[in-house]
Amino acid sequence: MIFRQLFDSVSGTYSYLLASRRGGESLIIDPVLEKVDRYLQLVHELDLKLVKAVDTHLHADHITGLGALRDKTQCITVMGEQTKADVVSMRLSDGDKLTIEGLALDVIYTPGHTDDSYSFILPDRVFTGDTLLIRGTGRTDFQNGDPRQQYESIFGRLLKLPDETLIYPAHDYKGETVSTIGEEKAFNPRLQVKSVEDYVEIMNNLKLANPKMMDVAVPANMKVGLHQEEIARRGWAVTAEQALALVGEPDIALIDLRERSERERHGIIPGALHVPYTTLQENIAAGGMLHELARSTSRRLLFYCAFGERSAMAVQAAQDAGIASARHIQGGIDAWRKASGPLTR
């Protein structure tokens, strides 16, 4: 496995680049906007393809790199389903898998620091965001934080991992880079409590100042979505209501860009072809399945995904590849469901 821990000294943020091999797919966890060029340089140097950019939660101390990485690489942006961010390509739930080629991370919902906090687990390590820090825990006094929820997330879930599990947090302010579950059980002062009431008492009396960038970072991080309005302005979008009238027409080919787990959980539009977004480029290139489908049958490609972000990028890519008939369903399956569109499992 390729694993790199990257640090932003201004905000004390750790970001993590993972891949199963050189030349393969990669993902990055908790990227910082100001470090995006460094991440992309490293991705290039390691001959990787960045396919997913993930935030463990809505950050208050720095502006996320999710939107910039998406715009520069057309990667999928990922957060938990509780996020207040306007649009991310993929929203995960407790029990899901966060996957790229050769790697699958278990997804667990660990609220408390914020109400949208998630952790991601590999067999030997866990990325804890700001839920469990090295010799500390994330504050719980803003963004719907809750010390009782955090206690359960830590004691009920994270500390039940094997003691040798490595802990990689989203932040550290003392130069520590890694710990283990066993170390934190033994030496983390906030975990030496006898009850949830003791923990709540500690967390409610920290009296910390707000993060310096909070008033800037939180609003910015809630506006990471791709501007689908620009795709619509070019005439490349249809509303869910318009799509309802198109489904079943012989010259329409519905293309579902979501991953299999999303299709299984949320259902599919009847008759749709499954072409995962990560395989899009090979399919729209000359000789690719979608390119040939559009060329030889004159069928119009109608892309859709979860919330319209991946499909908007797919339309732009298809247009660039010469598929002039390509369109997408604005707002994705989310808008389709709200328009009472039929779904099958």
Side-chain angles (χ1 to χ4, degrees):
M1 183 176 77
I2 293 173
F3 173 72
R4 296 291 185 273
Q5 183 181 43
L6 301 143
F7 187 59
D8 173 50
S9 59
V10 176
S11 62
T13 303
Y14 284 123
S15 304
Y16 301 95
L17 181 69
L18 291 84
S20 64
R21 64 177 179 87
R22 277 184 173 267
E25 295 181 348
S26 64
L27 66 80
I28 191 166
I29 298 174
D30 288 329
V32 176
L33 177 62
E34 288 80 6
K35 299 294 183 181
V36 162
D37 288 342
R38 171 62 185 132
Y39 306 146
L40 295 179
Q41 178 187 1
L42 184 57
V43 166
H44 175 73
E45 291 168 350
L46 298 177
D47 187 30
L48 300 173
K49 178 185 179 184
L50 186 69
V51 297
K52 289 179 180 173
V54 186
D55 268 349
T56 53
H57 62 287
L58 193 75
H59 294 283
D61 59 354
H62 68 269
I63 297 177
T64 179
L66 258 61
L69 287 169
R70 175 206 59 221
D71 293 344
K72 291 175 181 286
T73 70
Q74 286 71 58
C75 69
I76 297 170
T77 55
V78 184
M79 291 185 74
E81 64 180 356
Q82 292 82 2
T83 183
K84 303 298 191 299
D86 56 348
V87 178
V88 288
S89 295
M90 181 182 295
R91 297 186 182 219
L92 298 172
S93 303
D94 186 75
D96 281 350
K97 297 278 189 181
L98 173 63
T99 61
I100 57 172
E101 173 206 22
L103 288 177
L105 292 82
D106 291 321
V107 177
I108 63 170
Y109 181 42
T110 51
H113 170 60
T114 65
D115 61 355
D116 67 343
S117 292
Y118 276 76
S119 299
F120 303 99
I121 303 172
L122 285 171
D124 67 339
R125 68 195 66 193
V126 56
F127 301 94
T128 56
D130 286 349
T131 300
L132 178 58
L133 305 176
I134 299 173
R135 307 302 191 264
T137 57
R139 61 191 297 175
T140 59
D141 57 336
F142 57 77
Q143 288 185 251
N144 297 315
D146 185 319
R148 291 180 182 276
Q149 284 190 330
Q150 189 175 61
Y151 180 92
E152 177 56 33
S153 294
I154 294 171
F155 285 88
R157 307 208 69 178
L158 293 175
L159 295 187
K160 291 187 175 179
L161 295 171
D163 281 357
E164 63 272 18
T165 305
L166 299 169
I167 293 173
Y168 287 103
H171 289 92
D172 190 86
Y173 309 102
K174 298 177 181 178
E176 302 287 346
T177 58
V178 63
S179 183
T180 68
I181 292 294
E183 279 182 52
E184 295 310 306
K185 283 181 181 177
F187 304 118
N188 190 322
R190 292 189 189 168
L191 305 187
Q192 311 310 308
V193 293
K194 293 183 170 61
S195 69
V196 64
E197 301 302 334
D198 289 349
Y199 186 77
V200 170
E201 179 72 13
I202 290 173
M203 299 308 292
N204 283 346
N205 288 281
L206 294 178
K207 297 181 172 62
L208 298 172
N210 282 343
K212 293 177 182 177
M213 283 192 63
M214 182 173 175
D215 291 342
V216 175
V218 171
N221 291 339
M222 292 175 67
K223 299 289 184 184
V224 297
L226 184 72
H227 295 298
Q228 295 181 43
E229 292 78 8
E230 176 59 22
I231 296 297
R233 189 184 65 78
R234 297 175 187 174
W236 299 342
V238 299
T239 66
E241 290 78 10
Q242 291 169 328
L244 277 167
L246 293 174
V247 171
E249 293 293 320
D251 66 334
I252 294 292
L254 269 172
I255 312 298
D256 188 343
L257 299 169
R258 296 170 301 155
E259 297 185 358
R260 185 177 67 179
S261 60
E262 295 175 280
R263 287 161 53 87
E264 290 173 350
R265 169 167 290 175
H266 302 295
I268 64 173
I269 299 176
L273 296 173
H274 185 209
V275 181
Y277 177 78
T278 52
T279 70
L280 178 70
Q281 290 297 333
E282 62 197 65
N283 276 290
I284 61 176
M289 180 187 71
L290 294 182
H291 193 280
E292 292 305 304
L293 180 66
R295 184 188 65 82
S296 62
T297 68
S298 298
R299 293 176 79 180
R300 294 180 287 161
L301 305 185
L302 183 57
F303 295 107
Y304 74 91
C305 60
F307 301 98
E309 185 166 280
R310 277 170 282 180
S311 58
M313 291 189 289
V315 168
Q316 181 65 68
Q319 293 285 337
D320 292 344
I323 305 175
S325 66
R327 301 291 185 270
H328 88 121
I329 300 177
Q330 193 164 7
I333 204 86
D334 183 57
W336 176 265
R337 185 185 301 107
K338 290 173 182 175
S340 301
L343 293 169
T344 59
R345 298 282 176 178

